[in-house]
Amino acid sequence: MSTTETKQWQVGKEIIKTLKQKGYEAVFVGGAVRDFVRNKVANDIDIATSALPEEVKAIFKRTADVGLAHGTVLVIEDFVPIEVTTFRTDGEYEDHRRPTDVKFVRSLEEDLKRRDFTINALAMTEDFHIIDLFDGQRDLENGCIRTVGNPLNRFNEDALRMLRAIRFTAQLGFSIESTSFEAIKSRAHEISFVSVERISAELEKIWMSANLFQGIKSLVKSNLASHLPGDHAFANDKWKTLGNPQNSSVCWAYLCLLNKQPVVAQLAKQYKLSNDLKNQITQLVKATQIRCNGFFTIEDLYQFSEDVLVQAEILASKLKDDNEPLQIDKLVHLKKSLPIQSIRELAVTGQDIMEWFDKPGGPWLKETLTQIERAVLHQKVTNDATYIKEWLLNESNHKE
Ligand code: ATP
Ligand code: MG
């Protein structure tokens, strides 16, 4: 366990003890318990309690309202934030989506019953005693993802759970138990009721998974892939060659590039991706397409960051499948050897040029700067103010 993680568990224990002293029930729940039993680093530690949100807020000095509607209060002790959620059952499900309201209950069993999979329905006391009402430990040992209760009903209530099942196969390398898997197959079309934001968040987790290809395979086999936004090539064997980049923009770019006509704007719209992510994907797709059709020109080496060039080199080799050795060292060397890396590195500024020509600024200035940038990049002139001035005056004499 890392120091931060140990600290989280310690603070969690103290929070549970305090709640119990006040007469409430409180336990660790969810992914943290699952990861604890597997001896893996937990993402974030969650506590469930019989205390109502207002009661939790009255007990602890520092709290923040992060999800009051769902019963979640963030308790901050010793600078460590931990989510404390009141035991609850979900209200009515409409349209196969997450329920809009929840009902607070005082029983842990009720709370564990509403959880999606047996491996996620474990609870643990502050002295690390496991509470396992649905054989979650057995399923953890067997690498099995099984719904709590009847899978057809559970997927009908909230269709996102189907995609979560796939995400856990990718993250944990587990298999989905056969009745649960059959239920996903028969309800796959209902994923279209789920908000795109929730779908994208799960796909992002699949992209970052250690068993990415396993996830993609079950996405296709379960039929979910054909009901996701757009018409993307999840069912393409090339996913196998991708490996585990653990980089979400690379995976989105790959998804786009496997289409006959890769259009990043369309993909970004379908999955409501942020502008920042969309820009990263655009760069990657552009650079990979260039590399698939030849080598990078000086302009390309200048335009793209080293990171994008390297990723594109790797993606292009996977797409081309021609066993050509990767030229990463050469690429990095060429990129680093460019006379300048950006226009900011030019030895002259707009101010210098205005003075040389004794002219006020205007569109001509930007054009001239671009002209100098190109000339320096292509080594027609050395990046030095005296040389640039001489070259520029010469050029403008020629023009006149
Ligand atoms: P991660 O390590 O990715 O955080 P996690 O299992 O903690 O995994 P969360 O999405 O953080 O997943 O959810 C916390 C817990 O809440 C889950 O372990 C599960 O018990 C329950 N849960 C989350 N989403 C659902 C859902 N859609 N339906 C039922 N239970 C859910
Ligand atoms: Mg979690």
Side-chain angles (χ1 to χ4, degrees), residues 90-108:
D90 291 327
E92 285 300 302
Y93 293 89
E94 275 171 38
D95 290 345
H96 319 285
R97 287 159 184 254
R98 198 164 35 180
T100 38
D101 65 320
V102 300
K103 206 170 99 200
F104 298 134
V105 292
R106 295 280 184 182
S107 127
L108 171 65

Side-chain angles (χ1 to χ4, degrees), residues 115-352:
R115 294 177 183 268
D116 49 6
F117 305 110
T118 60
I119 59 167
N120 289 345
L122 295 167
M124 185 166 74
T125 62
E126 79 283 11
D127 49 10
F128 304 107
H129 169 74
I130 304 289
I131 301 163
D132 182 4
L133 306 182
F134 309 101
D135 283 336
Q137 289 177 105
R138 181 200 59 195
D139 285 342
L140 261 186
E141 259 166 46
N142 296 335
C144 176
I145 294 159
R146 180 196 313 269
T147 54
V148 173
N150 180 309
L152 279 169
N153 297 344
R154 301 311 310 282
F155 294 137
N156 181 45
E157 289 168 356
D158 180 359
L160 185 78
R161 289 173 189 153
M162 301 189 284
L163 197 50
R164 282 175 58 87
I166 308 288
R167 183 254 281 198
F168 287 116
T169 68
Q171 282 182 331
L172 310 172
F174 284 15
S175 311
I176 303 174
E177 172 274 328
S178 63
T179 339
S180 298
F181 194 72
E182 288 308 310
I184 298 181
K185 271 171 58 189
S186 68
R187 293 211 176 273
H189 58 282
E190 290 171 5
I191 195 70
S192 54
F193 287 99
V194 173
S195 78
V196 176
E197 289 86 347
R198 291 177 86 202
I199 292 179
S200 298
E202 288 304 319
L203 274 182
E204 291 266 345
K205 291 191 176 173
I206 295 177
W207 298 147
M208 302 304 283
S209 295
N211 309 282
L212 174 58
F213 183 57
Q214 190 175 337
I216 299 285
K217 267 196 305 189
S218 30
L219 204 53
V220 173
K221 264 181 91 179
S222 65
N223 238 349
L224 275 172
S226 52
H227 297 285
L228 291 179
D231 184 17
H232 296 282
F234 288 99
N236 187 318
D237 273 350
K238 288 245 186 288
W239 283 103
K240 192 173 185 171
T241 19
L242 183 63
N244 304 310
Q246 311 220 320
N247 177 322
S248 112
S249 50
V250 165
C251 294
W252 286 114
Y254 204 65
L255 180 66
C256 192
L257 284 158
L258 287 176
N259 289 328
K260 283 206 183 73
Q261 280 181 328
V263 185
V264 179
Q266 206 174 29
L267 174 91
K269 199 169 166 203
Q270 285 160 346
Y271 285 93
K272 295 199 180 167
L273 305 181
S274 70
N275 273 338
D276 202 31
L277 187 54
K278 180 178 156 186
N279 292 338
Q280 288 174 40
I281 303 168
T282 306
Q283 295 283 307
L284 276 171
V285 167
K286 256 202 233 167
T288 309
Q289 284 175 318
I290 291 171
R291 187 64 184 94
C292 281
N293 293 316
F295 198 73
F296 299 112
T297 63
I298 287 179
E299 297 284 335
D300 299 329
L301 293 168
Y302 180 63
Q303 178 196 159
F304 298 111
S305 70
E306 184 181 312
D307 200 36
V308 166
L309 290 166
V310 170
Q311 299 284 13
E313 175 74 12
I314 298 171
L315 287 182
S317 93
K318 295 182 191 296
L319 290 168
K320 285 190 295 184
D321 231 358
D322 58 4
N323 288 330
E324 224 183 80
L326 289 175
Q327 305 199 51
I328 292 179
D329 289 347
K330 175 180 164 189
L331 201 55
V332 172
H333 174 74
L334 286 173
K335 169 81 179 165
K336 287 205 195 312
S337 324
L338 294 176
I340 48 169
Q341 297 298 336
S342 90
I343 198 162
R344 287 187 301 277
E345 289 181 16
L346 277 188
V348 298
T349 63
Q351 193 59 42
D352 298 329

Side-chain angles (χ1 to χ4, degrees), residues 76-93:
I76 304 138
E77 290 282 291
D78 234 356
F79 303 103
V80 179
I82 297 210
E83 286 193 1
V84 178
T85 305
T86 305
F87 294 156
R88 60 173 222 230
T89 57
D90 291 327
E92 285 300 302
Y93 293 89

